[in-house]
Amino acid sequence: MLKKSVLVVILLSSIVIYGKNIPADSSQDNDIISKFKHLSTQQQLDTANYYHHKNSADTALICYSLIINTPVKDSDVEQQKRIIEAYNKSALIYQSLYDYRTSYEFLIKALILCEKANYEPYEPRIYNNIGNIYYRFNKFDLAKFYYTKALSLAQDTVVIVHLLSNLGTTEAEIGNSDSAFFALNKALQISKRNNRINFGSIMNNIALTYYNEKQYDSTFYYVKIALDEARQQNELESEAIYLSNFGHLFFEIKKIDSTLHYINLSNAIAEKNNFFQTLAGNYLLLSKIEKSKGRYKTSLEYFEMHARLRDSVFSTEKFGEINQLQHLYEISKANQQIEQLVVEQQIKERTIHYQKTIGYIIFGVLLLLSFVLLFIYSQKRNLSRAHRVLFEKNLEIINLQQKSSEKKQEKKKKFVQNIQDDLIDKILNTMEDTSIICDTDFSVDKLAVLVQSNYNYVSQTINNVLNKNFRSFLNGYRIREAQRLFSEPDAARYTIESVALQVGFKSRSAFRDAFKEVTGVSPNFYLQSMNEQDGVKNQPLFGHFS
């Protein structure tokens, strides 16, 4: 039985590979051409579509070729549309014959004509067929791109259902189950509202999505519906595919007898009708079954049959997989002990490799972490130095203020004489009275009353002469008083809150902001630094002797 199947596969492969080079019956072709040549282009298109629907590919292609080769003017938009349809339908026939190169070329020509004739309603069909080619070659990302593009342009209900179904199964192959179910459910709803368009295919694609999710009960349920629909519609290729899907499902749940039953049913239809792609998938599954039973020679024979069909259908060379099976077949004859040693050695080498890789990763992470910590430490150190410098500058200012306190009155008098106005002198004298300015309710209005002036003139004088607003001017005096309190010998008895209230601030946050604005450092840092400095001053010069 197996040798007979091999001969069938070789014969089918030869037909696909060399079929286009076999001389056709030219007299019969000439009769067909002369029969349809006198028809109008629209009549030729109707005739071609009729033979295409009846699966008479040769006659349909001849009619489509007559349309494609008809001279057409740029102004004849309707004739261009008929040529576009002829290109697209011819591409579908070549796809069914597994001539994907010619199919793709025809689709591109149709797309170019669509753009030239501005025939946008037909573009989704072409994009869908291009997506189908990429799907056949497992280029799912490209297939999804073209399905999505077609769906964004589609207006025809039939086309939309096909596109949603195709997009759903593509999302399932990529692994996007949620997106797959969304697209397929939407396709199913539209299909039920429109005479069950593409119903069987949708059911099968839903089953495929459940299969990828390993939900085998749901898979069985939907494949069964798809198979019944295919048989009811007499769709032989779909029936062969769905029977094959049953075989793959039962293989996954390790029911080999059921697997072989459905694969044999699928093969019977596929071999009779030259469904090479389905045959290729079935032979690959049979190869896996034989391999699982340890029959490597038979597995190799099935795989060779699969490879021949795949090569003839997709024009790809995947003989590396054949060599791998041949290698397994030869190894099965070798000594089991040597094989076990080889396997153990491979495991050890992989383990060592993984350990080294993990070690390098850990080392790199630790090194990166060290650099980050070093950078953070450096930044904190620089910030601490900056605060120390600010603190020392504030001490210098206090010392200078203390040294120049005796000269202030003279400078004030000169200042008052220079501006020929005693108002600023009154303001400055008033501000020296801490009992007044440290009152929390002290304001520019109260200052104006004390200096016997008005609000506007006092505020304007402070702004023009001292280049400060009243708030900054007042805060400067209050913060100076706070610094004096912090520098007293018994400053430890004060808290920041108490000092803030004592110098006229109603909240700690307002005091902190004003203190930092005047001194450049926070009250906490300033008080801490004062305490540290006092500790250094109070240390004895020599150690204590008992």
Side-chain angles (χ1 to χ4, degrees), residues 407-421 424-425:
K407 300 179 181 180
K408 274 187 178 181
Q409 295 300 325
E410 296 178 3
K411 290 183 178 180
K412 290 177 184 178
K413 291 179 181 179
K414 292 179 180 180
F415 180 76
V416 172
Q417 292 174 358
N418 289 337
I419 63 173
Q420 295 181 353
D421 193 348
I424 193 65
D425 184 62

Side-chain angles (χ1 to χ4, degrees), residues 261-403:
H261 170 72
Y262 284 104
I263 292 300
N264 288 334
L265 290 177
S266 176
N267 278 346
I269 299 173
E271 289 176 358
K272 183 178 179 180
N273 295 277
N274 298 338
F275 301 145
F276 301 133
Q277 186 171 359
T278 304
L279 278 174
N282 290 344
Y283 287 134
L284 178 60
L285 182 58
L286 290 172
S287 174
K288 292 179 180 179
I289 293 173
E290 294 299 314
K291 177 183 173 183
S292 67
K293 294 180 178 180
R295 297 198 287 260
Y296 295 111
K297 183 176 181 180
T298 310
S299 173
L300 178 63
E301 291 174 353
Y302 274 123
F303 193 87
E304 287 175 342
M305 295 161 66
H306 158 76
R308 286 194 189 95
L309 283 178
R310 289 290 297 179
D311 183 58
S312 64
V313 171
F314 295 104
S315 299
T316 56
E317 297 180 0
K318 294 189 176 181
F319 295 109
E321 297 172 334
I322 299 176
N323 292 333
Q324 183 180 8
L325 279 177
Q326 180 67 36
H327 183 58
L328 287 173
Y329 171 66
E330 294 172 356
I331 288 179
S332 65
K333 300 177 182 178
N335 187 279
Q336 294 296 326
Q337 184 177 4
I338 296 176
E339 183 179 350
Q340 184 64 29
L341 289 174
V342 171
V343 172
E344 291 178 358
Q345 181 63 29
Q346 290 176 346
I347 293 174
K348 288 180 181 179
E349 290 177 354
R350 288 177 182 175
T351 303
I352 293 172
H353 174 73
Y354 291 149
Q355 289 175 345
K356 286 183 178 179
T357 302
I358 292 172
Y360 290 144
I361 293 173
I362 293 174
F363 175 76
V365 171
L366 290 175
L367 187 62
L368 179 62
L369 185 60
S370 300
F371 280 121
V372 172
L373 292 175
L374 184 62
F375 176 75
I376 293 173
Y377 172 76
S378 175
Q379 292 292 77
K380 286 187 174 181
R381 189 175 179 182
N382 292 337
L383 184 60
S384 178
R385 287 177 179 174
H387 285 171
R388 175 62 62 182
V389 170
L390 284 174
F391 172 72
E392 292 175 354
K393 291 293 184 183
N394 277 280
L395 286 182
E396 290 177 5
I397 292 170
I398 291 174
N399 291 332
L400 290 174
Q401 288 175 345
Q402 291 175 349
K403 290 179 180 179

Side-chain angles (χ1 to χ4, degrees), residues 134-242:
Y134 282 115
Y135 183 88
R136 293 286 181 89
F137 282 91
N138 297 330
K139 304 295 185 182
F140 300 122
D141 289 337
L142 287 170
K144 177 182 176 181
F145 170 79
Y146 282 103
Y147 292 148
T148 305
K149 187 171 185 178
L151 194 59
S152 67
L153 301 173
Q155 297 179 353
D156 184 82
T157 302
V158 176
V159 177
I160 291 173
V161 171
H162 280 278
L163 285 169
L164 285 170
S165 179
N166 291 341
L167 184 61
T169 190
T170 304
E171 293 283 13
E173 293 288 359
I174 295 173
N176 301 331
S177 298
D178 292 340
S179 300
F181 280 123
F182 176 80
L184 290 170
N185 285 330
K186 193 171 182 180
L188 185 59
Q189 292 172 6
I190 300 174
S191 174
K192 289 180 178 178
R193 293 197 301 265
N194 294 273
N195 299 321
R196 296 163 66 93
I197 301 170
N198 202 33
F199 183 76
S201 177
I202 296 171
M203 292 293 102
N204 182 65
N205 291 341
I206 294 175
L208 173 63
T209 306
Y210 279 116
Y211 180 82
N212 291 337
E213 292 290 304
K214 301 188 183 301
Q215 298 183 28
Y216 299 128
D217 290 341
S218 298
T219 303
F220 182 89
Y221 173 77
Y222 283 101
V223 173
K224 179 66 168 60
I225 296 176
L227 181 59
D228 292 342
E229 182 74 12
R231 286 172 172 170
Q232 184 178 349
Q233 300 296 329
N234 195 28
E235 297 173 350
L236 293 178
E237 185 170 11
S238 297
E239 182 179 353
I241 292 172
Y242 303 155

